[in-house]
Amino acid sequence: MGAIAASFARHIGRRFADWGSKAYQRNWRSSPARRAVVLGLAVLRQPGRLFGEATASFYTSRTPYAADPAVPLWSNLGYWAEARTAVDAQIELARLLGRSGRLAAGDELLDVGCGCGDQDLLWLREWNLKRIVAIDVTPLRVELARARVARAGLADRIDVRVGTATELPFGDRSFDKITALECATHFNSREDFLREAHRVLRPGGRLALTDFTPLAGSPPSPADRLLQRLARRLIGIPAANVYPAASYAARLWRIGFERVEIRSIADHVFPGCMRYRAMLAAGRSSSAVVEMEARDFVASQWNSAWHDGLGLGDYILVTADKPRIPTSPAITSSG
Ligand SMILES: C[S@@+](CC[C@H](N)C(=O)[O-])C[C@H]1O[C@@H](n2cnc3c(N)ncnc32)[C@H](O)[C@@H]1O
């Protein structure tokens, strides 16, 4: 009798757990039919995005105009290894990039795709950088970033400008470090940016990015491929940027970088972000603590909306150094 009661209790417990994770699952297991409807509505709302430059329009639409300069306006997915609120996770992702880029006191940093500038305030203060030049293609974000920098009294050390990653308006060998926090997937093309980054870095300088790539070994169905192309187009992700991490590394070597390292940090990015978004969808506050479960850290459990919707299911941390002694790209291309 006791065993039957225990088994019944276990069954009820499991049903409760399933019910609790429904919002989470709904968020990331969206069917192609549902995605087709969502994309169709997006095209009807802003058809111009299909033909013009979609990125700035997309990021303008996702930025509040009258933002309180005291409230952070990060727009990365966050690093959730320890953090349990969105803002903490976003700060941790910026810190991880800062450490990986080996930021150091006295550095002159170029930050590309700076968004509303939160990471620049953090890096300048925590690493005591000499100067940051931050650029972003979305004018509204640059305006908000400038307001935040001015409010912090750091306008003499953080210079925020409208600009595009693929035509950096700086002379050769101008910076010690370059960062691009979750934005290079939009650059048209990412490879042009990598070439520009190599040009404006000083010898011995370092490039550090977080970025999206397709998951190796999971080709999409024809219907998914079509929907993912359309979705990428609507948010300004060029087809030329969709290649796996190995091709990413090969491009860096070819351009002339050395000590190229790429590692997936997806396990600590997507699960927390997916749970956070599910909580928001369920009406919870953006400052709510995100409850993670052990299974969230098992990759097979969480193939994300980015994988399904965009065909970009991996999240990588990339670092590469510009050699101190110039080498010919032809010599390094075998790497
Ligand atoms: C996901 S947001 C990340 C913003 C910020 N790094 C953060 O972590 O909060 C991507 C940013 O890249 C910017 N961006 C996209 N394409 C760009 C380009 N070609 N040049 C410069 N910035 C670009 C967008 O305007 C947007 O602010």
Side-chain angles (χ1 to χ4, degrees):
M1 193 65 189
I4 294 174
S7 149
F8 183 69
R10 265 200 306 277
H11 175 72
I12 295 291
R14 263 201 305 271
R15 293 305 292 260
F16 253 93
D18 284 352
W19 177 80
S21 65
K22 269 223 167 92
Y24 174 59
Q25 296 186 5
R26 248 204 322 271
N27 196 326
W28 56 270
R29 284 201 181 134
S30 62
S31 69
R34 189 175 153 205
R35 275 183 283 136
V37 171
V38 171
L39 290 173
L41 288 174
V43 172
L44 287 178
R45 257 198 321 268
Q46 284 185 294
R49 276 207 207 152
L50 267 188
F51 309 105
E53 178 47 72
T55 314
S57 142
F58 172 69
Y59 281 106
T60 302
S61 71
R62 291 173 71 94
T63 309
Y65 282 84
D68 174 354
V71 176
L73 276 179
W74 297 95
S75 60
N76 63 61
L77 306 192
Y79 188 72
W80 298 81
E82 306 283 337
R84 290 294 175 269
T85 67
V87 167
D88 285 349
Q90 290 166 320
I91 289 173
E92 284 312 313
L93 187 63
R95 283 194 176 127
L96 175 65
L97 190 65
R99 286 195 300 276
S100 308
R102 304 205 186 121
L103 297 185
D107 273 350
E108 291 189 281
L109 170 71
L110 171 64
D111 180 33
V112 183
C114 64
C116 299
D118 294 296
Q119 71 233 13
D120 302 307
L121 294 169
L122 179 103
W123 288 332
L124 190 104
R125 287 174 173 141
E126 295 196 356
W127 273 273
N128 193 21
L129 307 180
K130 178 175 173 194
R131 185 174 80 104
I132 300 179
V133 178
I135 68 167
D136 198 284
V137 80
T138 308
L140 174 61
R141 293 191 159 209
V142 169
E143 199 183 299
L144 290 167
R146 282 188 180 141
R148 278 142 205 278
V149 166
R151 183 174 180 275
L154 290 169
D156 55 335
R157 290 170 71 196
I158 304 180
D159 171 6
V160 192
R161 309 180 190 178
V162 176
T164 182
T166 48
E167 288 167 41
L168 297 175
F170 311 107
D172 299 357
R173 298 179 292 279
S174 301
F175 296 96
D176 303 300
K177 307 280 164 63
I178 298 181
T179 46
L181 177 55
E182 203 178 294
C183 41
T185 189
H186 291 292
F187 302 163
N188 195 9
S189 67
R190 179 198 283 135
E191 189 169 348
D192 287 346
F193 160 68
L194 298 177
R195 219 171 278 115
E196 277 289 83
H198 187 271
R199 178 181 69 76
V200 305
L201 268 177
R202 295 186 176 124
R206 189 166 173 87
L207 170 68
L209 315 89
T210 66
D211 208 348
F212 297 92
T213 56
L215 265 181
S218 59
S221 68
D224 269 336
R225 185 171 307 134
L226 197 71
L227 290 172
Q228 289 167 359
R229 262 176 173 255
L230 177 59
R232 289 194 300 260
R233 176 114 203 174
L234 288 174
I235 64 172
I237 298 180
N241 292 349
V242 183
Y243 44 79
S247 314
Y248 205 130
R251 283 168 165 82
L252 284 159
W253 283 110
R254 250 197 324 266
I255 287 167
F257 284 99
E258 63 179 12
R259 285 190 283 276
V260 173
E261 284 179 27
I262 298 186
R263 78 177 160 101
S264 174
I265 54 168
D267 288 0
H268 289 308
V269 172
F270 290 125
C273 182
M274 295 311 297
R275 277 216 176 270
Y276 169 64
R277 290 190 176 197
M279 282 175 49
L280 284 185
R284 301 281 302 279
S285 138
S286 60
S287 57
V289 171
V290 175
E291 304 293 346
M292 308 281 292
E293 297 175 12
R295 72 191 174 108
D296 288 339
F297 296 99
V298 180
S300 59
Q301 299 290 320
W302 52 256
N303 262 349
S304 70
W306 285 264
H307 177 67
D308 294 350
L310 295 170
L312 297 171
D314 205 355
Y315 194 99
I316 55 172
L317 177 63
V318 181
T319 54
D321 294 338
K322 179 167 174 173
R324 281 182 195 285
I325 301 163
T327 52
S328 145
I331 295 171
T332 55
S333 68
S334 61

